[in-house]
């Protein structure tokens, strides 16, 4: 489960806004942007998603240029180079091939030579390697410091508006003490292909093995005013825009300067309190590919921008606008299926979970690399769980076995790791479990699900690894009345080796905290996920940045704590004993996880 299923912000976000009601009064009078002050200065331009620094230079032909303005019609590939470094030497033929392939497609190639050469020697060195791109001599490391480059052979991919899209190694064929017959990972080529297709780049950073460059100096020199167009617009596009956009599921589009400044008081409040973007995992535990939380630097940039009067800056420094397919977060669905019967949701009252069955009717088995579930009336839908039932299987009651996908608060579009997919057998059924929450107006809802399939959708040569969803769950418990910190445990035993890729704990209104551990056969425990403050309103599938190997005999050990006391403002009835059940006023203890069995 990953990053990036749709995020149900509409009702829930408005609930959170109530806590910021006092701050909203100040939105009506917008402060007039003023000149940037020292408080609004920040060092940026080297992290993925940021605009490159405006570092000026002269190339070996005496032509002036600016680092942030090197791109062609599609982008720029900036390469750190030292002709005396063996790694640079080995990659020269590959870069020459890339030039021939991508220059005609609108990409400029620029070689930043850090060797102690003269301009003439640097020019001759590139020519002798058949490199035709622009050469910049950087013996004083002005450009390498601006980029925080770590080694020669490191490459930087930027789009046509100067936004850094990828930084790292070309591939994994060469490095210090590394010389493979062929690359296993082709990071730069894949990043260019994904950029050209309009998709988000899956791997945005990799470690580049080459000759080390000096430690980065001159940070103060790189400090520059933070403006909307050179910094804040990119930050919001990365962390907020998927939901807060025209046609998105959240209120308050945040795609233009006018939209953002009109809401700056509430944005400042929600981000500084870390209520937005929603992310409840303990930052000291685990590394997550879909971590949408704001870093300390990003929070500082936002805060400084607000304090400086929210300057717009130069519109020429604005990023390329993101494009979205109407109705979907995924680029282009290969198939869209809709349940046959619409559900009528009353204006008020408790609606029991609704179930709908949908037959897939694909001609062959299908291998799903991405999926997205949508409700036609999202304001009354709390969550939708989809379960897979293979042809001929007996239909199962409830919502645990066969978990396939989810639309839950906090979980965006679901994509699976590269080289992996979920399988839909020919003739399989999809069971939709839909939880409705009336909002005062009768609504009609008819859910649908969209898929993207692997290029080889039938996986006849088994190149794709199958992603399986399992769970550690406990359905036999009682939470005593008034219990403020009641623990419930569950476990799952691995009987095959494989790789753990994602975790998604699930509880209801009394859920308080979660801890998920991996326990080896000797009893040694490794903490995988810690959620000190669980929030039913924001449920997230935490996708591991690096898959974790599991072996037979290992087990998932999950512990959830529940607050059934009167101190829990969301508690429906602190005087009642609580048992397992599907309704929100009941409870669940399910730790879903994705893994790839060997």
């Amino acid at each position: 489960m990953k990053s990036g299923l749709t995020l149900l912000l509409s009702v829930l976000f408005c609930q959170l806004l109530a806590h910021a009601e006092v701050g909203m009064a100040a939105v009506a009078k917008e402060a007039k942007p003023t000149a940037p002050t020292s408080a609004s200065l920040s060092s940026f331009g080297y992290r993925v998603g940021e605009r490159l620094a405006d570092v000026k230079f002269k190339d070996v032909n005496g032509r002036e240029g600016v680092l942030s303005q090197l791109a062609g019609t599609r982008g720029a590939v900036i390469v750190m180079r030292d002709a005396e470094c063996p790694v640079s030497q080995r990659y020269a033929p590959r870069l020459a091939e890339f030039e021939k392939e991508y220059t005609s497609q609108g990409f400029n190639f620029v070689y930043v030579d850090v060797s102690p050469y003269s301009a003439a020697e640097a020019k001759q060195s590139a020519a002798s390697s058949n490199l035709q791109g622009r050469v910049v001599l950087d013996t004083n490391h002005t450009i390498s410091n601006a980029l925080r480059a770590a080694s020669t052979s490191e490459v930087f991919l930027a789009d046509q508006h100067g936004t850094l899209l990828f930084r790292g190694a070309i591939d994994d064929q060469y490095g210090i003490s590394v010389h493979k017959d062929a690359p296993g990972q082709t990071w730069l080529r894949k990043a260019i292909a994904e950029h050209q297709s309009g998709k988000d780049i899956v791997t945005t950073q990799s470690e580049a093995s080459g000759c080390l460059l000096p430690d980065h100096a001159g940070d103060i020199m790189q400090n520059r005013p933070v403006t909307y167009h050179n910094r804040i617009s990119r930050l919001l596009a990365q962390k907020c825009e998927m939901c807060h956009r025209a046609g998105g599921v959240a209120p308050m589009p945040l795609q233009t300067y006018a939209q953002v400044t009109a809401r700056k008081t509430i944005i400042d409040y929600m981000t500084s309190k870390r209520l937005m973007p929603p992310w409840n995992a303990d930052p000291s535990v685990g590394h997550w590919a879909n971590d949408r939380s704001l870093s300390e630097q990003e929070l500082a940039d936002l805060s400084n921008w607000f304090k400086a009067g929210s300057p717009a800056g130069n519109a020429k420094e604005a990023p390329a606008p993101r494009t979205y397919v109407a109705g979907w977060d995924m680029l282009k669905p290969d198939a869209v299926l809709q349940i046959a019967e619409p559900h009528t949701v009353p204006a008020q009252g408790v609606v029991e979970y609704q179930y709908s069955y949908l037959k897939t009717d694909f001609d062959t088995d299908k291998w799903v690399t991405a999926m997205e579930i949508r409700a036609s009336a999202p304001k009354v839908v709390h969550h939708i769980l989809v379960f897979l039932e293979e042809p001929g299987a007996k239909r199962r009651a409830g919502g645990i076995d066969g978990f396939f996908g989810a639309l839950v608060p906090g979980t965006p579009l679901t994509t699976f790791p590269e080289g992996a997919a979920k399988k839909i057998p020919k003739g399989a059924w999809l069971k939709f479990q839909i939880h409705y929450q009336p909002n005062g107006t009768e609504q009609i809802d008819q859910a649908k699900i969209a898929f993207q399939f692997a290029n080889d959708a039938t996986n006849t040569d088994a190149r794709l690894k199958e992603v399986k969803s399992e769970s550690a769950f406990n359905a036999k418990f009682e939470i005593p009345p008034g219990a403020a910190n009641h623990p419930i445990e569950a476990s799952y035993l691995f009987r095959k080796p494989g790789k753990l890729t994602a975790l998604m704990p699930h509880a209801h209104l009394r859920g308080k905290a979660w801890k998920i551990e991996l326990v080896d056969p000797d009893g040694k425990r490794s903490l995988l996920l810690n959620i000190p403050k669980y929030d039913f309103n924001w449920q997230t599938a935490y996708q591991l940045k690096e898959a974790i190997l599991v072996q037979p005999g290992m087990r998932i050990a999950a512990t959830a704590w529940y607050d059934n006391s009167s101190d829990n403002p969301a508690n429906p009835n602190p005087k009642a004993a609580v048992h397992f059940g599907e309704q929100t006023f009941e409870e669940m203890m399910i730790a879903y996880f994705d893994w790839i069995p060997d």
Side-chain angles (χ1 to χ4, degrees):
M1 302 173 191
K2 183 179 179 181
S3 82
L5 298 175
T6 187
L7 191 61
L8 290 182
L9 292 170
S10 52
V11 175
L12 302 171
F13 186 76
C14 290
Q15 292 172 346
L16 288 173
L17 292 185
H19 297 293
E21 198 170 17
V22 174
M24 288 294 289
V27 175
K29 283 194 174 183
E30 178 189 335
K32 186 177 180 181
T34 58
T37 64
S38 59
S40 69
L41 295 176
S42 181
S43 179
F44 60 95
Y46 56 92
R47 291 174 289 254
V48 171
E50 297 177 345
R51 184 175 182 271
L52 296 175
D54 296 319
V55 176
K56 296 180 180 180
F57 62 84
K58 282 187 179 180
D59 65 22
V60 294
N61 293 317
R63 188 157 58 105
E64 294 182 344
V66 180
L67 181 62
S68 59
Q69 300 171 20
L70 290 174
T73 57
R74 291 294 292 156
V77 178
I78 303 167
V79 184
M80 304 308 300
R81 173 175 164 76
D82 182 348
E84 299 300 325
C85 176
V87 181
S88 289
Q89 293 170 355
R90 290 172 186 147
Y91 273 115
R94 175 128 334 126
L95 288 166
E97 293 172 4
F98 279 17
E99 274 192 351
K100 292 179 181 178
E101 181 176 357
Y102 293 118
T103 299
S104 62
Q105 298 177 30
F107 290 89
N108 289 342
F109 280 72
V110 180
Y111 301 94
V112 180
D113 195 326
V114 298
S115 57
Y117 283 170
S118 65
E121 290 171 326
K123 182 178 179 179
Q124 175 57 36
S125 171
S128 65
S129 296
N130 297 315
L131 301 177
Q132 305 299 315
R134 195 169 182 178
V135 179
V136 180
L137 190 60
D138 191 43
T139 53
N140 61 358
H141 300 289
T142 301
I143 295 177
S144 66
N145 284 340
L147 293 171
R148 304 296 202 277
S151 70
T152 59
S153 81
E154 188 171 7
V155 294
F156 301 80
L157 174 66
D159 69 9
Q160 64 270 36
H161 290 252
T163 305
L164 186 59
L165 304 176
F166 166 85
R167 61 175 297 159
I170 296 169
D171 53 45
D172 63 349
Q173 185 171 6
Y174 305 123
I176 301 297
S177 302
V178 176
H179 196 304
K180 299 180 180 179
D181 292 337
Q185 299 285 348
T186 55
W187 293 298
L188 178 59
R189 181 178 290 279
K190 287 179 179 177
I192 293 175
E194 288 161 348
H195 168 53
Q196 289 180 304
S197 67
K199 296 180 179 179
D200 287 336
I201 294 174
V202 175
T203 302
T204 58
Q205 191 163 338
S206 63
E207 185 174 346
S209 179
C211 299
L212 295 180
L213 292 171
D215 200 5
H216 309 298
D219 286 0
I220 296 176
M221 177 199 71
Q222 295 172 60
N223 282 350
R224 50 183 167 155
V226 175
T227 70
Y228 176 78
H229 289 303
N230 74 7
R231 178 75 184 105
I232 301 303
S233 57
R234 288 170 171 82
L235 191 160
L236 296 177
Q238 283 182 295
K239 298 296 179 77
C240 310
E241 190 178 298
M242 175 179 282
C243 300
H244 292 274
R245 60 181 171 86
V249 296
M252 304 178 184
L254 302 176
Q255 294 177 283
T256 67
Y257 177 73
Q259 290 170 345
V260 173
T261 52
R263 302 291 185 184
K264 64 184 180 181
T265 303
I266 189 61
I267 294 172
D268 188 19
Y269 177 88
M270 299 297 281
T271 55
S272 63
K273 297 295 184 182
R274 290 194 176 274
L275 297 172
M276 283 284 166
W279 187 259
N280 296 322
D282 180 349
S284 67
V285 177
H287 301 283
W288 312 102
N290 61 330
D291 187 347
R292 57 178 173 263
S293 62
L294 295 175
S295 68
E296 293 298 330
Q297 183 61 59
E298 289 168 331
L299 286 169
D301 288 344
L302 271 171
S303 177
N304 287 338
W305 182 65
F306 290 131
K307 291 175 182 177
S310 310
N314 187 346
K316 293 181 179 179
E317 298 178 348
R322 296 169 68 95
T323 57
Y324 299 92
V325 177
W328 300 101
D329 287 335
M330 65 172 55
L331 179 67
K332 183 180 180 182
D334 293 319
V336 177
L337 306 179
Q338 188 173 45
I339 61 175
E341 71 282 7
H343 293 288
T344 300
V345 184
Q348 57 185 340
V350 176
V351 180
E352 292 190 1
Y353 281 32
Q354 299 295 301
Y355 287 89
S356 294
Y357 279 84
L358 190 159
K359 196 170 190 299
T360 56
D361 283 333
F362 295 127
D363 295 335
T364 61
D365 296 345
K366 292 294 185 181
W367 290 82
V368 177
T369 57
M371 75 173 80
E372 185 176 348
I373 303 167
R374 285 272 183 166
S376 62
K379 291 184 179 181
V380 295
V381 175
H382 180 265
H383 74 256
I384 300 174
L385 301 185
V386 176
F387 301 86
L388 180 72
E389 297 192 356
E390 298 195 11
K394 183 179 179 181
R395 290 189 172 180
R396 300 180 292 266
I400 296 178
D401 294 333
F403 176 80
F404 193 73
L407 166 64
V408 295
T411 301
L413 163 71
T414 297
T415 60
F416 299 107
E418 187 174 356
K422 279 198 171 183
K423 179 182 177 182
I424 301 180
K426 178 183 177 181
W429 289 81
L430 297 176
K431 178 176 69 176
F432 285 65
Q433 178 203 79
I434 310 175
H435 177 196
Y436 290 111
Q437 290 183 324
N439 72 341
T441 305
E442 183 178 290
Q443 306 260 345
I444 305 295
D445 178 64
Q446 194 168 7
K448 55 187 176 181
I449 186 170
F451 300 109
Q452 286 180 338
F453 299 131
N455 291 334
D456 178 14
T458 59
N459 200 29
T460 53
D461 59 358
R463 286 181 298 168
L464 292 168
K465 299 295 184 181
E466 184 174 2
V467 176
K468 293 281 191 179
S469 292
E470 305 286 357
S471 65
F473 71 94
N474 188 334
K476 297 180 180 180
F477 58 79
E478 179 177 290
I479 305 173
N485 198 41
H486 184 77
I488 300 175
E489 297 180 345
S491 67
Y492 176 95
L493 179 66
F494 290 101
R495 303 183 185 278
K496 296 179 181 179
K499 295 179 179 179
L500 190 66
T501 62
L503 303 165
M504 193 184 87
H506 175 72
H508 289 172
L509 294 172
R510 295 169 176 87
K512 180 179 181 180
W514 275 87
K515 181 173 67 175
I516 299 178
E517 299 172 293
L518 183 64
V519 185
D520 69 17
D522 296 326
K524 182 181 178 182
R525 292 175 174 259
S526 300
L527 184 57
L528 302 179
L529 174 66
N530 182 40
I531 302 178
K533 189 176 180 181
Y534 178 79
D535 187 347
F536 177 62
N537 291 326
W538 300 113
Q539 300 178 47
T540 299
Y542 297 92
Q543 183 208 355
L544 288 157
K545 186 170 286 188
E546 297 291 338
I548 295 175
L549 296 176
V550 295
Q551 297 294 337
M554 289 183 170
R555 63 186 177 91
I556 292 286
T559 306
W561 288 266
Y562 296 82
D563 184 356
N564 193 25
S565 74
S566 57
D567 291 333
N568 177 2
N571 192 347
N573 186 0
K575 296 180 179 181
V578 183
H579 302 89
F580 180 89
E582 294 183 337
Q583 296 301 319
T584 304
F585 56 79
E586 299 170 310
E587 265 305 337
M588 284 188 170
M589 194 283 179
I590 308 174
Y592 291 111
F593 62 89
D594 274 3
W595 74 304
I596 303 172
D598 288 345

